[in-house]
């Protein structure tokens, strides 16, 4: 029986002895399976960070409009991190079972929903609760590392993992500029409070689009998706 292989050729050098994992980058490429997965992996993690930290740059305005105390702001921050810690323990084994692509997509969709509703908060309790649910996207770090490890050979996986993680982590810093810029853009037409409430729609929309792209435009591993491999008896 011929071994299952979705793609006849690859855009990067691969090691057949390691299930066609890539042995190097071609950063200007967006072709499937290796580089398409690479770019979706780091950008999905990047946008997860943007949504996860979206409240932080706007907390001065949110705190003022909702009458929050500094302790309540701290509690909301703790709530956001606590859900991430728990989710990371759970997501690792799920990546082994369902694949990093599916789990990353699931986390981004799960996180985009409360992000969409971020502008509806009316109390400190609301902020803490919604940040808790948004925080599950922090577990996308695990998916990024697993996905990268599935696509790149052992001689290169350290480089690929550090790059996807590093570029993804940039989302935390970019959020500070991005969310304030979005808020100021809305503020040209709306009040300050209405503007920060509308601002959450932007990262939520981008995250949802990335999740859909991951689901339909990428692969679990170099030879295809796990479901295809199972049907063929190669997994």
């Amino acid at each position: 029986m011929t071994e299952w292989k979705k793609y006849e050729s690859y855009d990067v050098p691969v090691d057949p002895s390691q299930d066609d994992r890539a042995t190097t980058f071609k950063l200007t490429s967006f072709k499937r399976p290796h580089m398409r997965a690479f770019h979706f992996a780091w950008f999905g993690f990047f946008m997860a960070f943007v949504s996860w930290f979206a409240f932080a740059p706007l907390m001065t305005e949110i705190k003022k409009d909702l009458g929050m105390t500094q302790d309540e702001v701290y509690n909301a921050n703790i709530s956001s991190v606590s859900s991430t810690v728990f989710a990371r323990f759970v997501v690792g084994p799920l990546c082994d079972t369902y694949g990093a692509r599916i789990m990353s997509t699931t986390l981004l969709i799960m996180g985009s929903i409360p992000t969409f509703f971020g502008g509806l908060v009316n109390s400190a309790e609301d902020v803490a609760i919604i940040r808790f649910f948004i925080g599950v996207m922090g577990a996308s770090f695990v998916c990024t590392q697993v996905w990268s490890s599935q696509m790149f050979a052992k001689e290169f996986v350290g480089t690929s993992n550090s790059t996807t993680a590093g570029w993804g982590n940039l989302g935390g810093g970019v959020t500070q500029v991005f969310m304030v810029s979005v808020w100021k853009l809305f503020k040209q037409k709306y009040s300050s409070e209405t503007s920060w409430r509308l601002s959450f729609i932007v990262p939520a929309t981008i995250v949802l689009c990335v999740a859909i792209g991951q689901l339909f435009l990428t692969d679990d591993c170099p030879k295809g998706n796990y479901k295809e491999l199972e049907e063929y008896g190669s997994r």
Side-chain angles (χ1 to χ4, degrees):
M1 180 182 291
T2 304
E3 185 180 10
W4 163 261
K5 185 175 178 180
K6 184 174 182 178
Y7 300 99
E8 293 299 323
S9 62
Y10 300 117
D11 197 40
V12 291
V14 303
D15 184 348
S17 69
Q18 297 186 54
D19 292 325
D20 291 348
R21 286 176 169 84
T23 57
T24 189
F25 281 145
K26 189 175 181 181
L27 293 177
T28 56
S29 174
F30 197 64
K31 291 185 178 180
R32 301 173 77 162
H34 305 89
M35 295 313 301
R36 180 78 61 85
F38 168 83
H39 287 301
F40 265 103
W42 78 259
F43 190 66
F45 184 35
F46 179 97
M47 285 309 305
F49 252 109
V50 172
S51 281
W52 185 18
F53 289 179
F55 270 86
L58 305 178
M59 277 310 298
T60 300
E61 296 298 320
I62 296 172
K63 177 183 176 183
K64 178 181 66 178
D65 291 332
L66 300 185
M68 296 174 64
T69 66
Q70 191 58 46
D71 284 344
E72 288 172 332
V73 173
Y74 291 149
N75 289 337
N77 292 339
I78 293 171
S79 175
S80 176
V81 175
S82 63
S83 60
T84 298
V85 173
F86 172 75
R88 287 185 179 185
F89 279 110
V90 175
V91 167
L94 290 177
C95 283
D96 292 336
T97 303
Y98 300 105
R101 177 183 66 95
I102 294 298
M103 289 314 303
S104 178
T105 299
T106 301
L107 287 173
L108 292 181
I109 293 174
M110 287 175 61
S112 70
I113 295 172
T115 304
F116 269 116
F117 291 104
L120 300 181
V121 294
N122 287 306
S123 67
E125 291 76 15
D126 290 347
V127 175
I129 291 170
I130 208 157
R131 292 196 70 184
F132 177 86
F133 287 108
I134 293 174
V136 299
M137 279 196 289
S140 62
F141 169 76
V142 177
C143 303
T144 299
Q145 297 300 280
V146 174
W147 204 0
S148 178
S149 297
Q150 289 290 344
M151 287 292 176
F152 294 91
K154 61 183 181 181
E155 298 86 357
F156 195 71
V157 72
T159 301
S160 66
N161 283 0
S162 62
T163 305
T164 52
W167 289 6
N169 277 320
L170 282 174
V174 171
T175 306
Q176 305 299 315
V177 177
F178 178 73
M179 290 304 296
V180 172
S181 298
V182 171
W183 170 66
K184 287 182 176 180
L185 186 63
F186 280 120
K187 199 177 175 184
Q188 293 178 5
K189 187 174 181 180
Y190 303 102
S191 68
S192 177
E193 181 176 356
T194 300
S195 295
W196 67 253
R197 291 182 181 278
L198 290 173
S199 295
F200 293 103
I201 297 174
V202 178
T205 301
I206 299 175
V207 166
L208 186 59
C209 289
V210 173
I212 294 171
Q214 285 184 347
L215 184 62
F216 294 107
L217 302 176
T218 62
D219 307 279
D220 291 328
C221 61
K223 292 184 177 181
N225 293 327
Y226 288 162
K227 184 177 180 180
E228 297 167 331
L229 294 173
E230 288 171 353
E231 290 175 352
Y232 197 82
S234 297
R235 182 174 186 255

